[in-house]
Amino acid sequence: MYKYTDFDAAFIKERNAQFRSQVERRIDGSLTEDEFKPLRLMNGLYLQLHAYMLRVAIPYGTLNGRQMDKLADIADRWDKGYGHFTTRQNIQFNWPELRDIPDMLDALAEVQMHAIQTSGNTIRNVTADHFAGAAADEIADPRPVAELIRQWSTDHPEFQFLPRKFKVAVTGSPNDRAVTKAHDIGLRMLERDGVAGFEVIVGGGLGRTPMIGKVLRDFLPREDLLPYLEAIVSVYNLLGRRDNKYKARIKITVHENGIDDFRARVEERFALIRPQFGGIDQQLLAGIEADFAAPDFKTKPVADFEAAYTNDPVFRSWADTNLTDHRAPGYAIVSISLKAHAATPGDATSAQMRVMADLARDYGHDELRISHEQNVILPHVHKSDLPALHARLKEAQLATANIGLISDIIACPGMDYCALATARSIPIAQEIATRFDDLKLEHDIGPLKIKISGCINACGHHHVGHIGILGLDRAGVENYQITLGGDGSEDATIGERAGPGFSADEIIPAVERIVMAYLELRDAPEETFLETYRRIGLAPFKAALYPEVQADAA
Amino acid sequence: MPKAFTPKVVTANHLLKGDVIYQTATGWTRDLAEAEVLTDEADADLRLIDAAQQVSLVVGAYLADVDTAGGVPKPTHFREDFRARGPSNYAHGKQEDLSNV
């Protein structure tokens, strides 16, 4: 993985010292809150419903054991012993005190981490496929490119005050695990006639106006990436609406101007600035790529794995659900679920963080990833180590076998923490997971993604959930709208709204009716919920959701 | 016709801790039950101005509706209920510590 240069280390040190001074001046009254707020947001510090929240970047979701240990230390020393992993591959600490933030940032800097550009109207933490560098279906590792983009965008003088926040995602696989089509810019690595490049997608996003991104360039040679990105963002910076924050995202810019007009402006700008990128960026990229060299994979028998798989049904269930094919023979990608039934999606205790760090060191070439689905990945584990690893996960209550199943729910913090939220998300996720665990149906139901947002900003990605749930405030009462058929993959689709919303008491039975209808309606156990939905459409599910309407019509 | 003024409290977040606080007649408290209930609009506006000026102590002061039917102020909206009570997934925040500022 990437290691800080002397420049990086000095930059972070100076930046932290600057923020320490700003915090001191806020506390002694020299700075008002209006003056301080943009400064704290530039350093990832929010003031939420109950407390401050520090959002720490985990660039492209990659970290090592020492970094995970440091996150655990921070959780213990300055928070309440846990952290919350988010859909943006960040970690959030929910209870820090203002005076401690500079010390927290210094502690992060000790392990080459920071909170810069995790907030504000700037290019945010660059995200990537959480199986990067390991997946069997991968064309190329997207992380060096993501790191290049991080370096280019960090404190980029032109892009610190964009019309709105700006999110970039990169995938190196045809199977999109980075939701690239729901980002301001999505980059899909391709190879055409032996030349490496990208499909460039622009103007995707969820929120109050969900849109699937449009193809801006179907093939962009790799060496043109940074100047092309710079062209896109500078056109958006000029053209994007600043009169209305709800119309400020690039998706609206592209929609209002049309993709052809937007493309023409980008190409014009690109032609102008391309010569300024004289190849330094490619030299940088080559250096970064060396930092992402694949580990030294072992060759050894997998008999221990096969024996455990045959003889231990608990291990087999976990292996069937939580392992993914690795590109190296004898290896597997391990997804550690942070969705134990009734737990808060994405939360890990400091003890669990340390266990995951130890497991990465002992079995996983000291690599960890955070997924946008709020789980933790050990990308390179030899199959012979899996039985021992599974036993240690069980001890730490991290062996829930539910990746991709109904209880593997994305849920934003909702009104339990977020100042913007209009309803709670976490208890709904907890109740759904508990309900289907009680019914013992989870594995029969098979792949099914439920995503829950506590407000229209859609941090929980509900629009691309197979079942999406949006929490709203309806006349002072929590109300939950359901969307169906959303998909965040390479076939990205915005879900269809099913009808009127449900109260907090009604939403779990409503989800249950949808799932029971699916079990009745599917062609065969192999047909997934999404396949069934695409085959038969919304109407049968709507009938199951609103039986009283059916009765009235009869 | 102007809407009748309903009882309110001044609430904010504490600058250093960030947690939810309420104005009393003489200072601030973390317990909504101890908050000063404002029944006169002019009074409420003055108390809010007073709170907003305490920049070294509070952040984001505003007036929140309360129900005084039981003799002590209670939230009328679920958002204020969560602010007064703390999150629902852990016994953190208010549920841990209701000591005064």
Side-chain angles (χ1 to χ4, degrees):
Chain A
M1 57 190 283
Y2 177 72
K3 295 177 184 66
Y4 275 16
T5 62
D6 290 346
F7 174 87
D8 296 327
F11 171 80
I12 297 295
K13 189 176 176 188
E14 191 176 325
R15 176 75 176 246
N16 287 355
Q18 187 185 52
F19 189 55
R20 182 179 292 277
S21 163
Q22 290 161 351
V23 169
E24 284 167 5
R25 283 184 285 146
R26 175 67 185 97
I27 291 171
D28 73 17
S30 310
L31 287 176
T32 66
E33 185 60 20
D34 284 348
E35 290 164 335
F36 181 62
K37 186 176 176 182
L39 302 174
R40 67 169 160 79
L41 290 176
M42 287 172 79
N43 290 280
L45 182 62
Y46 288 75
L47 184 52
Q48 297 275 71
L49 204 63
H50 307 293
Y52 287 99
M53 179 271 279
L54 182 67
R55 179 182 292 155
V56 176
I58 302 172
Y60 31 92
T62 294
L63 72 172
N64 61 25
R66 186 163 168 254
Q67 291 172 320
M68 186 67 110
D69 277 338
K70 183 61 76 174
L71 297 176
D73 293 346
I74 288 171
D76 280 340
R77 181 163 180 194
W78 291 295
D79 208 271
K80 293 185 187 292
Y82 75 99
H84 176 74
F85 292 102
T86 79
T87 56
R88 295 279 310 143
Q89 298 180 308
N90 297 307
I91 184 169
Q92 296 183 170
F93 294 105
N94 283 330
W95 302 95
E97 296 190 15
L98 180 59
R99 207 182 286 281
D100 295 330
I101 303 298
D103 291 341
M104 294 172 79
L105 294 176
D106 283 348
L108 288 166
E110 288 171 17
V111 294
Q112 309 191 341
M113 297 183 80
H114 60 76
I116 296 169
Q117 292 183 199
T118 58
S119 177
N121 292 337
T122 186
I123 299 174
R124 299 288 188 90
N125 183 39
V126 179
T127 55
D129 182 355
H130 44 264
F131 294 162
D137 60 1
E138 187 172 270
I139 296 165
D141 187 340
R143 290 174 303 157
V145 165
E147 172 59 26
L148 182 71
I149 298 169
R150 186 187 74 83
Q151 293 188 21
W152 160 76
S153 63
T154 300
D155 254 14
H156 192 303
E158 192 180 336
F159 302 143
Q160 294 309 298
F161 297 97
L162 294 169
R164 281 285 275 141
K165 58 186 170 182
F166 200 91
K167 299 174 181 178
V168 182
V170 196
T171 179
S173 296
N175 298 302
D176 186 359
R177 289 175 287 265
V179 209
T180 56
K181 291 183 177 174
H183 282 73
D184 296 298
I185 294 177
L187 298 170
R188 305 181 68 198
M189 300 176 88
L190 303 172
E191 196 175 293
R192 185 179 283 180
D193 301 327
V195 178
F198 302 89
E199 180 185 48
V200 181
I201 298 158
V202 70
L206 302 177
R208 69 177 57 217
T209 314
M211 289 187 185
I212 298 300
K214 298 174 176 69
V215 176
L216 192 62
R217 267 277 196 115
D218 62 358
F219 186 79
L220 179 77
R222 190 174 118 119
E223 61 271 20
D224 288 341
L225 180 65
L226 276 199
Y228 201 74
L229 289 183
E230 184 140 324
I232 295 171
V233 186
S234 57
V235 167
Y236 163 63
N237 202 14
L238 196 65
L239 203 60
R241 302 239 334 229
R242 291 174 192 270
D243 60 324
N244 181 340
K245 70 179 282 193
Y246 303 112
K247 295 187 175 183
R249 298 294 291 268
I250 195 172
K251 62 189 173 187
I252 305 295
T253 312
V254 171
H255 180 71
E256 288 187 345
N257 292 277
I259 186 71
D260 293 334
D261 177 78
F262 189 81
R263 183 183 295 115
R265 290 170 189 264
V266 169
E267 293 292 342
E268 185 183 358
R269 178 81 182 146
F270 172 65
L272 197 67
I273 64 175
R274 179 67 187 88
Q276 295 166 18
F277 289 75
I280 296 292
D281 56 325
Q282 293 307 298
Q283 288 174 28
L284 266 175
L285 180 57
I288 293 167
E289 277 177 327
D291 291 327
F292 287 93
D296 187 15
F297 294 122
K298 297 171 279 191
T299 304
K300 56 179 186 175
V302 295
D304 290 351
F305 167 75
E306 285 167 354
Y309 190 84
T310 305
N311 300 322
D312 179 353
V314 175
F315 177 78
R316 183 165 62 244
S317 171
W318 174 81
D320 284 344
T321 312
N322 292 33
L323 301 184
T324 305
D325 289 344
H326 196 282
R327 65 191 166 104
Y331 273 77
I333 301 168
V334 176
S335 292
I336 301 172
S337 172
L338 297 186
K339 316 287 179 61
H341 301 111
T344 301
D347 278 9
T349 66
S350 54
Q352 288 176 324
M353 288 185 222
R354 291 191 181 98
V355 167
M356 292 187 281
D358 285 342
L359 292 175
R361 279 185 288 262
D362 292 349
Y363 304 115
H365 300 273
D366 199 20
E367 285 200 35
L368 298 124
R369 308 284 164 72
I370 308 303
S371 77
H372 81 271
E373 292 178 315
Q374 301 178 285
N375 294 311
V376 175
I377 316 296
L378 299 174
H380 314 295
V381 182
H382 195 274
K383 286 185 176 176
S384 62
D385 293 326
L386 288 170
L389 183 140
H390 179 248
R392 286 171 63 179
L393 286 174
K394 273 203 295 190
E395 276 176 36
Q397 298 181 306
L398 286 168
T400 310
N402 65 346
I403 296 294
L405 302 183
I406 194 168
S407 63
D408 183 9
I409 297 169
I410 289 180
C412 74
M415 195 178 268
D416 280 311
Y417 295 90
C418 179
L420 300 176
T422 47
R424 290 174 299 168
S425 300
I426 293 168
I428 304 303
Q430 289 173 312
E431 286 175 41
I432 291 171
T434 304
R435 178 70 183 136
F436 283 92
D437 190 39
D438 289 347
L439 292 171
K440 300 297 170 211
L441 278 174
E442 189 162 19
H443 289 263
D444 291 336
I445 295 164
L448 174 53
K449 292 180 189 294
I450 295 185
K451 302 177 197 279
I452 308 174
S453 301
C455 80
I456 203 160
N457 293 312
C459 294
H461 295 184
H462 66 277
H463 294 294
V464 290
H466 302 167
I467 299 175
I469 300 174
L470 165 63
L472 295 168
D473 176 350
R474 285 277 179 264
V477 177
E478 289 169 294
N479 186 271
Y480 295 89
Q481 282 181 1
I482 289 177
T483 51
L484 294 172
D487 179 11
S489 77
E490 60 281 1
D491 302 317
T493 311
I494 302 295
E496 293 177 89
R497 192 176 153 196
F502 297 88
S503 69
D505 290 340
E506 295 167 338
I507 185 65
I508 311 303
V511 170
E512 191 176 326
R513 290 200 295 280
I514 296 168
V515 174
M516 292 305 176
Y518 154 66
L519 293 174
E520 286 286 319
L521 294 163
R522 67 183 177 185
D523 260 352
E526 296 75 35
E527 188 179 58
T528 65
F529 176 86
L530 194 58
E531 287 165 348
T532 302
Y533 183 84
R534 285 178 172 165
R535 177 171 57 80
I536 65 177
L538 177 63
F541 291 100
K542 202 166 175 171
L545 256 181
Y546 304 102
E548 66 282 6
V549 176
Q550 294 296 108
D552 289 348
Chain B
M1 202 170 129
K3 208 172 149 189
F5 186 78
T6 52
K8 293 183 177 31
V9 296
V10 176
T11 182
N13 288 84
H14 189 258
L15 172 66
L16 294 179
K17 287 197 74 170
D19 60 345
V20 176
I21 53 177
Y22 303 94
Q23 198 174 41
T24 67
T26 55
W28 293 86
T29 177
R30 291 195 157 84
D31 187 351
L32 175 59
E34 296 171 357
E36 178 188 25
V37 177
L38 304 160
T39 52
D40 177 82
E41 189 166 8
D43 259 2
D45 288 344
L46 283 173
R47 298 295 284 145
L48 182 59
I49 290 168
D50 174 49
Q53 286 172 341
Q54 299 179 48
V55 293
S56 294
L57 185 63
V58 304
V59 181
Y62 64 93
L63 294 168
D65 283 310
V66 286
D67 177 359
T68 55
V72 290
K74 291 198 175 115
T76 61
H77 189 279
F78 63 92
R79 184 178 190 275
E80 289 303 325
D81 193 23
F82 298 136
R83 287 183 80 244
R85 198 173 64 205
S88 46
N89 60 333
Y90 300 119
H92 289 164
K94 294 286 173 216
Q95 297 147 107
E96 276 177 323
D97 180 8
L98 275 175
S99 60
N100 287 347
V101 176

